[in-house]
Amino acid sequence: MNEQQFDKYLHIKTVGEQYGFPKLAHYHRYEPTPYNGLEQLFAIYEMPNDPVFIDMGCGKGRVPIYVHHQFHIPTIGIEMDAGFYAEAEENKRSYLQKKRSHAPITFIHTIAEAYEIKPRDNVFFFFNPFSIHIFRTVIQNIWQSYEQKMRDIHIILYYPPYDYLQFLHQGTPFELLHEVHLENETNMNERLCVFELKKA
């Protein structure tokens, strides 16, 4: 299925050109994650036990809704932009009318670094949503949560910036678990990297 067909299948509206610039300088503008990339990722990648999936900078909610539909697990989308948050909530309403599930799907209107990491949160998805300064703060929040409740935690990076990768490799105990180079892409940055922090 192409992007439009996938949206129609999920009863959501997330296709469109990137637009709008955030009010905060360290945040990047919206661009939806390609469904094809998500399909290639989950063809080889398995989430940890009892996953709770967090999308940091979820835009209109495509990734949390897709993951919710595919795996019937709790998903959470964090979005700072009020307009995108409202669209994500509308997409959730439309999706749940047709796709019933007992697992919750939640959207939260806040900046990523203000989100309080819950003890069950263990899969974090980033599509280059903000600067390395914000990314470091979010990873520090995840680490503090890990120290309070040790568990397997995964970080998924789509189109990972070099400074994100350098920080995870050199500044954290996270280890590279998977690297998925997307099919039919000539840009080497068009890939997904999954990092893992194992329960001690």
Side-chain angles (χ1 to χ4, degrees):
M1 288 189 284
N2 63 27
E3 301 284 288
Q4 290 81 4
Q5 291 169 329
F6 232 124
D7 259 17
K8 186 176 180 180
Y9 174 67
L10 294 174
H11 304 280
I12 63 177
K13 296 178 181 178
T14 62
V15 174
E17 295 298 321
Q18 59 183 354
Y19 64 88
F21 285 89
K23 298 180 180 65
L24 301 179
H26 285 289
Y27 279 76
H28 303 158
R29 62 182 182 173
Y30 167 74
E31 184 175 356
T33 304
Y35 286 113
N36 183 48
L38 295 172
E39 290 192 296
Q40 290 181 58
L41 168 68
F42 288 110
I44 68 165
Y45 162 63
E46 184 175 341
M47 287 183 277
N49 293 333
D50 300 320
V52 176
F53 184 98
I54 318 295
D55 182 1
M56 291 292 185
C58 69
K60 301 177 185 180
R62 173 185 288 190
V63 174
I65 290 172
Y66 171 88
V67 171
H68 188 271
H69 171 73
Q70 292 292 103
F71 301 102
H72 310 289
I73 63 170
T75 63
I76 299 170
I78 309 302
E79 178 53 49
M80 60 160 280
D81 184 272
F84 292 149
Y85 167 73
E87 291 188 63
E89 285 285 359
E90 176 58 26
N91 281 327
K92 179 178 78 169
R93 184 196 63 76
S94 179
Y95 161 75
L96 289 176
Q97 281 185 341
K98 304 292 183 179
K99 310 283 186 180
R100 296 294 179 185
S101 174
H102 295 296
I105 178 169
T106 306
F107 293 110
I108 300 173
H109 180 211
T110 189
I111 56 175
E113 61 269 38
Y115 173 69
E116 182 181 349
I117 310 295
K118 307 300 188 299
R120 290 188 60 212
D121 296 348
N122 59 359
V123 182
F124 298 87
F125 181 87
F126 300 82
F127 180 8
N128 190 17
F130 32 68
S131 72
I132 183 61
H133 306 288
I134 304 295
F135 184 69
R136 284 197 194 104
T137 300
V138 173
I139 296 299
Q140 182 180 13
N141 292 343
I142 293 171
W143 173 254
Q144 290 174 349
S145 172
Y146 172 82
E147 288 186 316
Q148 293 170 7
K149 181 177 176 18
M150 292 187 180
R151 62 209 185 268
D152 290 351
I153 293 178
H154 291 179
I155 302 291
I156 303 172
L157 305 179
Y158 180 85
Y159 211 101
Y162 175 76
D163 49 7
Y164 278 31
L165 296 174
Q166 185 181 44
F167 172 65
L168 287 177
H169 280 301
Q170 299 180 6
T172 77
F174 282 91
E175 296 183 356
L176 185 64
L177 180 64
H178 291 294
E179 187 169 5
V180 182
H181 290 275
L182 301 180
E183 297 174 0
N184 304 318
E185 294 291 346
T186 56
N187 187 338
M188 289 299 292
N189 289 325
E190 198 77 19
R191 57 182 169 157
L192 289 126
C193 294
V194 180
F195 286 81
E196 179 182 48
L197 179 61
K198 293 290 290 182
K199 180 179 178 180

